[in-house]
Amino acid sequence: MAVTAVLLLGIRESRPSQLLEYRVRQIRRATGDDSLQAQNPDHTPDIRTFIRNVFIRPLYLLFTEPIVILVSILSAIAFGLIYLFTEALPVVYSLYSFTPQQSSLPFLAIAVGLLIGIFIRLHDVRLLRFVHQGAAAFLDQDQSLGPGRDDHQQPPPTISPEDKLLGFRIAAPTLALSLWLFAWTTPPLVPQCPWAISVLALIPIGFAVNEFDAVLAGYMADSYTVYAASAFASLSILRSLASATFPLFARNMYEGSGSFGPNAATSVLAGAATLACLCPVVFVRYGRRIRQASRFAQYSLKVHDENVVGSVADDETGIEGTELQDTVLLH
């Protein structure tokens, strides 16, 4: 945590309204025109506005916005699953005659699974780089053609929030299959199976729950842009509730499931994960339509576009971010 806190001190500002304010301030210094003002929605609110934004808006989103509802539920379950395993894994591996200390070691397999997500992040970076380079090439071509440019030339490549759901599309079936594998490679119903098989099943589980949390959070941020903080507050409500409650029933769930024990308990989780495999299909096929039908999402995108300042600068192209602001937008 301390290392992360230090690294955060060097992170670049990315909020569009703040970047716009900074850019306008630069223009005022350069031109001497103090009348220039940014259309910036950021300001210190009064107490009534503060209560509305901090308490009412997140609850409103949680109960009215389909994307927020689905993302919050899925992320809460995935996050709560990690806390559930803090109580469940000692029960499972005690059946192999593991000591309490030894029964905690399988958590290392979940940690290994988290590292697999690096490959998905590399794909995301490559995708964004391709879009930015394509936009820069389009601007070069557009400027070279001048007023007589061909109106039928290919538009620049763009990226939508649904294009960045690869990790979730892989993680949903991975989580379901891994939980089924874990459920039926452990005692008491499968006592002959080596304990290492069930530990190996925890690796993709670690990958999947991390992708649920990271990718879906990014999807919600892209969908609600400058009001993503309110959407995240909605997500945090359910995630905190799941993290607090899952460990409370985990031990009873795994020890008190009749003769089936951990097999039946994990099968319940695997069944829920199997149903969640429908969600990537819903987001990919209907996500854009859902966002377009949401008045709040459309309003968020409108405010974002009014305050956007491009911050992309590619060393290979030399194109400044302000030239890309109307070309590479998330919509």
Side-chain angles (χ1 to χ4, degrees), residues 147-289:
R149 64 182 182 273
D150 184 6
D151 293 334
H152 299 288
Q153 61 181 315
Q154 290 293 327
T158 58
I159 183 171
S160 70
E162 289 74 28
D163 293 329
K164 295 192 288 185
L165 287 176
L166 175 64
F168 179 52
R169 291 159 61 186
I170 296 174
T174 297
L175 180 62
L177 291 173
S178 302
L179 286 171
W180 283 117
L181 178 62
F182 185 82
W184 295 101
T185 56
T186 55
L189 293 185
V190 194
Q192 70 278 10
C193 188
W195 60 265
I197 302 298
S198 61
V199 171
L200 289 175
L202 292 174
I203 295 177
I205 289 176
F207 159 76
V209 296
N210 183 62
E211 290 302 299
F212 267 63
D213 187 53
V215 176
L216 290 177
Y219 180 68
M220 196 158 60
D222 290 341
S223 299
Y224 293 93
T225 60
V226 295
Y227 294 106
S230 297
F232 284 140
S234 304
L235 184 150
S236 297
I237 293 172
L238 290 190
R239 191 165 64 180
S240 299
L241 288 174
S243 300
T245 57
F246 276 34
L248 298 179
F249 62 77
R251 188 167 289 272
N252 288 335
M253 181 179 178
Y254 273 74
E255 289 182 332
S257 301
S259 59
F260 289 86
N263 305 97
T266 309
S267 294
V268 172
L269 301 176
T274 302
L275 292 177
C277 291
L278 296 174
C279 294
V281 179
V282 172
F283 285 144
V284 172
R285 289 192 177 184
Y286 307 107
R288 187 182 188 89
R289 192 179 306 173

Side-chain angles (χ1 to χ4, degrees), residues 14-15 83 97 155 187 196 215 233 265 267 269:
S14 60
R15 185 173 177 85
Y83 286 86
S97 300
V215 176
S267 294
L269 301 176

Side-chain angles (χ1 to χ4, degrees), residues 116-125 166-167 170 207 211 215:
I116 301 176
I118 294 175
F119 297 101
I120 304 297
R121 302 291 83 75
L122 291 175
H123 171 272
D124 292 341
V125 170
L166 175 64
I170 296 174
F207 159 76
E211 290 302 299
V215 176

Side-chain angles (χ1 to χ4, degrees), residues 272-327:
T274 302
L275 292 177
C277 291
L278 296 174
C279 294
V281 179
V282 172
F283 285 144
V284 172
R285 289 192 177 184
Y286 307 107
R288 187 182 188 89
R289 192 179 306 173
I290 294 173
R291 287 187 290 112
Q292 291 175 342
S294 167
R295 295 175 59 186
F296 199 93
Q298 289 300 303
Y299 176 70
S300 301
L301 184 60
K302 178 177 180 292
V303 174
H304 173 270
D305 289 350
E306 288 175 351
N307 295 279
V308 70
V309 172
S311 59
V312 180
D314 195 322
D315 294 336
E316 296 178 4
T317 61
I319 301 298
E320 290 295 329
T322 47
E323 296 177 307
L324 298 177
Q325 64 177 355
D326 295 326
T327 309

Side-chain angles (χ1 to χ4, degrees), residues 114-134:
L114 299 179
L115 299 177
I116 301 176
I118 294 175
F119 297 101
I120 304 297
R121 302 291 83 75
L122 291 175
H123 171 272
D124 292 341
V125 170
R126 186 177 181 181
L127 177 63
L128 289 172
R129 184 175 299 170
F130 168 77
V131 173
H132 291 169
Q133 290 177 345

